[in-house]
Amino acid sequence: MPALAIWSPEDEVLGAVAPLALGVAAGTALVVDLDRNGPRYPGDVSLASLVADGPTKADLSPQRRGVAVVRNGGVDPQDAEMVLHALVEGWPAVVFRLPQGHIADGSAIPILPLVPGPLLRRFPGPAVYQRSAWRVEVPPNAMALPRPRSGTISALLSGRAPHPGDRWIRAWRRVWGTAWA
């Protein structure tokens, strides 16, 4: 059961849609928000409720193909450790969304805008960069995603699944296939 942790220290919108796109790219996946102040993802289940009430059998594995999202609900991830392990065991792919203020310690893949100049951070290790209007060289040990269509971002922000054949979604599949160290 592969699990990836990602965070976007420079871009809040990218930080909200990247985990969803990564989940859609996997085909069947669970996205879990570990940020107590994270986005208001739709759904009835929160990590806080799973910790308080315990996960049901239906929570521990996919009930159908697609992406399920567990918003945080105000719980500290350390208090959810047992639940998180159980979710990883039952789902074919899990994406953990970390807070924007996550400390770069190599435990998560940074998702960063690829922009010119030194104003925004560059990470020396592996990272995923989001291309924008500028032609900028991709740093070593990094991969770059193509510019997404506005309809794809709009669908993700509206709680709808974009077309799985979308070029940007297909590019996220490479993230699953990369050995991140």
Side-chain angles (χ1 to χ4, degrees):
M1 289 18 101
L4 292 175
I6 65 173
W7 64 299
S8 184
E10 306 289 350
D11 188 319
E12 193 170 345
V13 173
L14 190 56
V17 298
L20 301 173
L22 190 53
V24 172
T28 299
L30 177 66
V31 174
V32 181
D33 189 1
L34 299 182
D35 182 357
R36 295 175 74 150
N37 300 308
R40 293 184 304 264
Y41 291 121
D44 298 329
V45 178
S46 71
L47 188 56
S49 68
L50 292 178
V51 170
D53 303 333
T56 66
K57 185 176 180 181
D59 296 324
L60 295 174
S61 62
Q63 302 305 299
R64 62 181 190 270
R65 185 165 167 71
V67 177
V69 180
V70 174
R71 67 183 184 287
N72 185 278
V75 70
D76 189 303
Q78 292 181 351
D79 296 334
E81 193 170 328
M82 289 177 53
V83 170
L84 297 174
H85 284 290
L87 293 171
V88 169
E89 286 296 315
W91 281 82
V94 178
V95 179
F96 293 114
R97 180 194 174 276
L98 299 177
Q100 193 172 14
H102 173 74
I103 297 177
D105 61 1
S107 65
I109 305 164
I111 312 296
L112 305 158
L114 187 58
V115 297
L119 196 60
L120 299 181
R121 295 187 245 194
R122 294 281 193 262
F123 285 82
V128 175
Y129 284 88
Q130 178 57 63
R131 288 195 184 278
S132 57
W134 301 281
R135 291 182 186 233
V136 178
E137 189 174 324
V138 180
N141 297 323
M143 79 172 50
L145 301 170
R147 290 172 63 184
R149 291 182 26 248
S150 61
T152 302
I153 299 301
S154 179
L156 291 169
L157 289 172
S158 300
R160 297 186 325 269
H163 190 278
D166 178 89
R167 181 174 80 119
W168 190 62
I169 297 296
R170 283 193 329 262
W172 280 99
R173 291 180 191 151
R174 294 181 312 166
V175 176
W176 285 112
T178 300
W180 300 95

